[in-house]
């Protein structure tokens, strides 16, 4: 089973940027679909950006389109989430998850509970 570790979270000002990384071990991500999700205590989980490692096709939540970019680096077995023009509403715990069978769009739209996921990294957007 693939293990995932996120990094890159922290504090940013509104309008600022952060880049999150999702590094995988234990298996190659080559055939997986990867999603970045966010969830605060007491709130529903939501899919932010998802990507197919095999063809690179991305899917984005409407509210992050044009601001966030998901990218893969197969050589490093890592997926990134570049977050620009951050808003206070982006404050949340972000985590990545990987699945061999859930389609990319379904992963982001339905935000299913995926077994292979990281521990999460806190993103706080505040002035």
């Amino acid at each position: 089973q693939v293990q995932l570790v996120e990094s890159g979270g922290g504090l940013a000002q509104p309008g600022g940027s952060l880049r999150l990384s999702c590094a995988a071990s234990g298996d190659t991500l080559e055939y997986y679909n990867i999603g970045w999700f966010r969830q605060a205590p007491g709130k529903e989980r939501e899919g932010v950006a998802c990507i197919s490692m095999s063809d690179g096709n991305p899917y984005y939540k409407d509210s992050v389109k044009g601001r966030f970019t998901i990218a893969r680096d197969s050589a490093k077995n890592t997926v990134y989430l570049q977050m620009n023009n951050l808003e206070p509403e982006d404050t949340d715990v972000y985590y990545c998850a990987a699945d061999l069978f859930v389609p990319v769009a379904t992963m982001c739209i339905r935000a299913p509970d995926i077994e292979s996921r990281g521990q999460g990294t806190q993103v706080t957007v505040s002035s």
Side-chain angles (χ1 to χ4, degrees), residues 35-38 44-50 59-64 107-112:
W36 280 100
F37 302 86
R38 60 190 184 190
E44 289 188 0
R45 175 176 55 244
E46 58 180 10
V48 176
C50 303
Y59 185 95
Y60 296 97
K61 177 180 174 62
D62 285 346
S63 63
V64 307
M107 184 178 284
C108 260
I109 293 171
R110 297 188 178 180

Side-chain angles (χ1 to χ4, degrees), residues 19-99:
R19 188 177 81 153
L20 306 183
S21 299
C22 173
S25 62
D27 197 3
T28 174
L29 291 179
E30 182 178 3
Y31 301 109
Y32 283 82
N33 293 328
I34 310 298
W36 280 100
F37 302 86
R38 60 190 184 190
Q39 185 172 23
K43 292 177 59 179
E44 289 188 0
R45 175 176 55 244
E46 58 180 10
V48 176
C50 303
I51 192 168
S52 165
M53 290 297 286
S54 61
D55 60 22
N57 282 338
Y59 185 95
Y60 296 97
K61 177 180 174 62
D62 285 346
S63 63
V64 307
K65 285 180 181 177
R67 301 189 298 122
F68 291 10
T69 302
I70 188 170
R72 58 182 176 150
D73 187 332
S74 298
K76 294 183 178 180
N77 219 26
T78 298
V79 174
Y80 303 96
L81 184 67
Q82 178 67 44
M83 306 187 294
N84 298 328
N85 195 19
L86 284 162
E87 302 170 352
E89 292 74 22
D90 296 317
T91 296
D92 228 322
V93 176
Y94 286 71
Y95 68 91
C96 58
D99 194 274

